[in-house]
Amino acid sequence: MRIQLGLVDKPQNCASLAVARVREKAKAKAKKEDNANVMRIKGNNEFKRKDYSTALLHYMDALKVLPYEVKTLTNIGQAYIKMGMLEDAEEFLTR
């Protein structure tokens, strides 16, 4: 006797669920990237105003979301350079 498991017992339903999960993950990843990009752009705006410490706060927030984003790491390095903190700049520019 076969136990009915609902939707998952049919191969086409398993495939549909798998596709749905992949789409959900892709959507979540895109949202995460968008959030990090918004934070990085806020940092860029502060950098242009020469408020490097506030720019760093935004860049660090972006880095928490996407830890090894090259643009963000570069921006952090540039902010540290502008602040005269060359060792800190090197740390982020060599990651």
Side-chain angles (χ1 to χ4, degrees):
M1 176 185 253
R2 186 171 170 190
I3 298 173
Q4 186 84 3
L5 296 175
L7 294 176
V8 184
D9 65 333
K10 297 180 182 173
Q12 66 271 21
N13 291 332
C14 289
S16 295
L17 288 173
V19 168
R21 286 187 184 137
V22 168
R23 286 185 181 146
E24 286 175 24
K25 283 187 176 187
K27 201 181 284 188
K29 181 181 177 188
K31 184 175 181 179
K32 189 176 178 181
E33 289 172 353
D34 287 345
N35 289 339
N37 195 39
V38 166
M39 289 180 245
R40 188 176 53 77
I41 289 170
K42 286 181 181 181
N44 290 348
N45 291 334
E46 296 302 327
F47 189 93
K48 288 175 189 172
R49 291 187 194 119
K50 299 184 180 190
D51 186 352
Y52 305 119
S53 58
T54 303
L56 273 174
L57 293 174
H58 291 295
Y59 294 148
M60 293 297 189
D61 286 342
L63 204 60
K64 289 176 189 172
V65 177
L66 291 177
Y68 291 97
E69 173 61 40
V70 173
K71 291 177 187 177
T72 305
L73 291 168
T74 302
N75 291 354
I76 291 169
Q78 290 297 317
Y80 277 130
I81 288 170
K82 291 291 188 178
M83 296 169 70
M85 302 171 73
L86 302 181
E87 287 180 15
D88 292 323
E90 182 180 19
E91 177 189 339
F92 285 91
L93 293 171
T94 56
R95 280 192 188 179

